[in-house]
Amino acid sequence: MIFSPGKASIHLAAIALSSASSLLADQPAEKQPAPAQSEQYRPAYHFTPQAHWMNDPNGLIYDNGVYHLFYQYNPEASVWGPMHWGHATSQDLLHWKERPIALAPDALGTIFSGSAVLDRDNTSGLGKNGRAPMVAIFTYHQEDALKADQPPQSQGLAYSLDGGENWIKYAGNPVLRPDNGQKDFRDPKVFWHAPSRRWVMALAVGDHSEFFGSADLKQWRRLSSFGAGLGPHGAVWECPDLLPLRVAGTHKTKWVLIQSFNPGGPNGGSATQYFVGDFDGKTFKMDPDFARKMQSSGPRWLDWGRDNYAGVTWSGLQRRDGRALLIGWMNNWDYGEKTPTKAWRSAMTLPRELSLHQESGGGYALHSLPVREIKRLEGKALTFNPRKLSSEYKLPLAKSMISQSRLDLAFAIETGHPKVGFEMTNSLGDSYRFGYDSSAKTFVSDRMASGNVDFSPKFASIDKAPRSAQGRIVRMSFYIDHSSIEAFLDRGATVMTTALFPRLPYTHINLFVEGGRARLVSARVWPVGKVTKPDLIAKRL
Ligand code: FRU
């Protein structure tokens, strides 16, 4: 959410007011959604709630063959409001089944973001009859406290003894309150730190993150803090995640702190930065080479697009395959409540696998790629021959294919400093362009004329990302799904996620080369299947 330090109460109060009024304004539409219209932007292979508002992913946990995705959810309207934890489960990270609401507000407050762990050794004592409890650690937000100028946020626990279906709030809540009057004190991400045999919690506190330790998930002790003065000026820190990652091609492990900020993203509004360093069970210290590079070339963003926020990773995967899998909210607080859907609002990004790479000249870079499971939804690829390009080339594709597809392009830059890329258009003249500008060494995502852009003055934008990889061949992979495009560039070294609302589906793709010569090394397009069930959606509406 939008924030400026020291104005937490004003900020949150303002959100509560604007949400309340938009909630009212939205209600008639809620009752009478026009299915055709409201479904126009429903993604086919990304998670969306069947109805109403969603923001951050919460409580991501894999247990017993099931991926759980909890999320910030307002079951009453398609705008932010009294937060609950919605819940969906999947066995493959693609087909999600919506479950009953997991956590609802109570006397201690509404339920903000947090995480979930499996307490295998029953350190919390919340297990029963030998059954290890699944424990959710979340933030309570108490609006009345805020109005009385008191710190509104504390952390609470809930547990499930049936694999995440039913949740019982811990009677001793809250388990952690601010001791210094901090108003922004939220989004606990908890993990088991084996070497020190305790739970560690990363928590966003105003303009930095803090770490707490606990033997039983109930009593927490402050360990250290990280980052005061490091984030974008005027931003609040939200949704931290601290995780170890092996450095690709080595036996070395580094710790990565994934940290959401709002506002202050590289292209405006909400975005997520990362820091690489070491964690000794108590303190997170940035790697000196990483810090030096950050000083000279600026913050490292997990995603340079405007529509990937509050992303965190799944717990419980160590025992499965050790992958670090992240999912984010595919929206931005700059315009999140205004996007042109009615019955539901907001999708999640594709789940992504994170990997850590050593950089030439020192330092580390976090890469992301879509989870390999997505390949199961990809149909037969259409492959186009390599060719020299000096202007436009229209890909001969079935019109209906584009809105739900994967597009991979590789260009070799030859003479001059060309801009290479593609444009998607429809019969109304809506156009979305994505390119690589080889003279500025920058990727450019242009949604200025992409269709329905007027719902917020902050939406239409030309977003840029510096290319971090070297080399003459630029590889770009795009996942297009009706109202979004996710660009994985240079095999995930740079990522840009962009929401789009064309007035009609895009029907054409033109490749372009401007201001020089480039060779199209390869172009491939796959249709991507659908995972949503329209019948179910219709029933719920
Ligand atoms: C991030 C955030 C969190 C908070 C939640 C409230 O998008 O502001 O900090 O817990 O959303 O819905």
Side-chain angles (χ1 to χ4, degrees):
M1 287 179 204
I2 311 152
F3 174 84
S4 63
K7 286 195 193 150
S9 51
I10 299 169
H11 151 72
L12 283 164
I15 284 198
L17 281 179
S18 79
S19 299
S21 56
S22 34
L23 191 152
L24 289 177
D26 231 31
Q27 281 211 333
E30 294 299 323
K31 295 227 164 83
Q32 293 278 313
Q37 223 181 352
S38 67
E39 293 308 299
Q40 179 186 3
Y41 295 125
R42 174 88 69 182
Y45 59 92
H46 286 75
F47 178 75
T48 48
Q50 291 171 19
H52 301 134
W53 169 265
M54 171 178 79
N55 55 289
D56 314 358
N58 294 151
L60 303 178
I61 183 166
Y62 173 82
D63 177 43
N64 202 20
V66 178
Y67 293 92
H68 294 265
L69 165 62
F70 299 89
Y71 45 89
Q72 287 289 278
Y73 188 55
N74 178 2
E76 283 156 30
S78 296
V79 288
W80 192 83
M83 284 293 111
H84 295 56
W85 274 24
H87 185 198
T89 54
S90 170
Q91 293 183 348
D92 64 0
L93 293 161
L94 301 170
H95 296 83
W96 293 99
K97 193 163 171 201
E98 231 169 291
R99 318 294 316 173
I101 284 178
L103 298 175
D106 60 44
L108 292 173
T110 55
I111 316 291
F112 274 17
S113 288
S115 51
V117 293
L118 187 70
D119 181 12
R120 255 172 228 289
D121 297 333
N122 197 23
T123 61
S124 62
L126 297 170
K128 231 187 201 163
N129 305 330
R131 172 116 203 185
M134 189 182 275
V135 182
I137 310 96
F138 57 87
T139 298
Y140 272 119
H141 176 76
Q142 180 61 269
E143 202 57 38
D144 289 344
L146 190 64
K147 283 186 198 130
D149 207 23
Q150 296 297 314
Q153 295 170 358
S154 60
Q155 320 316 318
L157 304 182
Y159 59 102
S160 167
L161 299 171
D162 61 0
E165 189 75 3
N166 291 289
W167 291 84
I168 306 159
K169 301 248 181 62
Y170 170 53
N173 280 340
V175 295
L176 179 64
R177 299 170 187 271
D179 58 7
N180 206 5
Q182 298 100 327
K183 288 198 168 128
D184 292 286
F185 191 74
R186 58 176 178 267
D187 308 340
K189 178 77 163 76
V190 173
F191 63 93
W192 176 251
H193 187 256
S196 54
R197 297 206 45 75
R198 67 176 165 213
W199 299 100
V200 172
M201 174 196 293
L203 193 75
V205 183
D207 65 348
H208 62 277
S209 272
E210 295 190 357
F211 303 106
F212 294 82
S214 170
D216 60 2
L217 293 165
K218 293 171 174 168
Q219 280 189 308
W220 292 92
R221 197 167 57 85
R222 192 168 168 280
L223 300 172
S224 63
S225 80
F226 172 81
L230 262 187
H233 179 74
V236 68
W237 292 44
E238 298 184 310
C239 303
D241 188 358
L242 181 64
L243 64 146
L245 270 182
R246 200 170 52 79
V247 182
T250 75
H251 294 296
K252 210 165 32 175
T253 294
K254 294 299 255 184
W255 286 76
V256 180
L257 177 67
I258 292 171
Q259 184 62 63
S260 287
F261 293 95
N262 185 57
N267 287 295
S270 328
T272 304
Q273 223 175 299
Y274 65 89
F275 304 93
V276 179
D278 296 296
F279 181 67
D280 60 4
K282 196 168 174 231
T283 311
F284 174 76
K285 281 207 185 80
M286 246 200 291
D287 175 85
D289 286 339
F290 180 86
R292 189 175 36 79
K293 277 215 171 154
M294 210 179 101
Q295 267 212 323
S296 62
S297 54
R300 308 302 295 262
W301 299 98
L302 177 78
D303 190 318
W304 290 77
R306 294 182 74 199
D307 299 286
N308 179 4
Y309 192 58
V312 282
T313 58
W314 260 274
S315 75
L317 287 170
Q318 283 315 327
R319 284 169 182 248
R320 189 177 188 254
D321 55 13
R323 285 188 293 174
L325 302 184
L326 174 137
I327 198 166
W329 177 48
M330 202 154 51
N331 207 338
N332 189 313
W333 285 115
D334 263 5
Y335 42 75
E337 290 188 296
K338 302 201 172 102
T339 55
T341 62
K342 279 228 152 50
W344 58 279
R345 189 166 282 125
S346 296
M348 290 299 175
T349 64
L350 278 180
R352 298 167 183 190
E353 179 169 359
L354 305 179
S355 56
L356 193 61
H357 301 259
Q358 195 128 32
E359 290 197 307
S360 55
Y364 300 90
L366 190 63
H367 294 188
S368 356
L369 283 173
V371 289
R372 56 175 180 254
E373 284 84 345
I374 186 71
K375 297 207 164 53
R376 298 183 197 158
L377 290 180
E378 292 168 10
K380 203 166 166 309
L382 296 170
T383 303
F384 301 93
N385 290 333
R387 63 189 68 216
K388 281 217 179 293
L389 288 180
S390 54
S391 59
E392 276 206 355
Y393 170 56
K394 185 168 165 184
L395 287 184
L397 293 169
K399 286 184 180 172
S400 60
M401 184 178 176
I402 292 160
S403 324
Q404 214 177 296
S405 63
R406 168 182 171 188
L407 164 69
D408 276 17
L409 300 173
F411 289 98
I413 306 297
E414 293 201 319
T415 49
H417 291 289
K419 292 184 176 136
V420 297
F422 77 100
E423 179 184 33
M424 291 194 285
T425 56
N426 63 18
S427 59
L428 295 177
D430 296 346
S431 140
Y432 170 77
R433 276 170 72 93
F434 190 99
Y436 174 61
D437 177 345
S438 62
S439 68
K441 295 197 167 53
T442 301
F443 294 105
V444 184
S445 163
D446 179 350
R447 66 178 177 194
M448 290 302 286
S450 56
N452 196 341
V453 297
D454 295 338
F455 55 86
S456 158
K458 290 192 171 164
F459 181 78
S461 59
I462 299 177
D463 305 326
K464 297 187 175 167
R467 182 178 187 214
S468 59
Q470 314 283 332
R472 224 163 41 86
I473 297 185
V474 186
R475 290 178 201 282
M476 313 194 261
S477 182
F478 303 93
Y479 282 84
I480 302 161
D481 191 4
H482 299 273
S483 51
S484 63
I485 178 162
E486 290 161 280
F488 299 92
L489 310 158
D490 296 312
R491 301 200 163 98
T494 306
V495 180
M496 294 182 87
T497 300
T498 305
L500 291 172
F501 302 96
R503 288 169 297 169
L504 285 175
Y506 296 120
T507 45
H508 293 89
I509 289 186
N510 288 320
L511 308 188
F512 63 78
V513 173
E514 290 168 5
R517 278 179 84 92
R519 192 161 48 87
L520 180 67
V521 180
S522 73
R524 290 203 287 171
V525 188
W526 294 255
V528 182
K530 194 178 171 83
V531 299
T532 45
K533 298 188 191 69
D535 49 326
L536 211 62
I537 290 162
K539 232 186 280 160
R540 282 285 297 261
L541 292 179

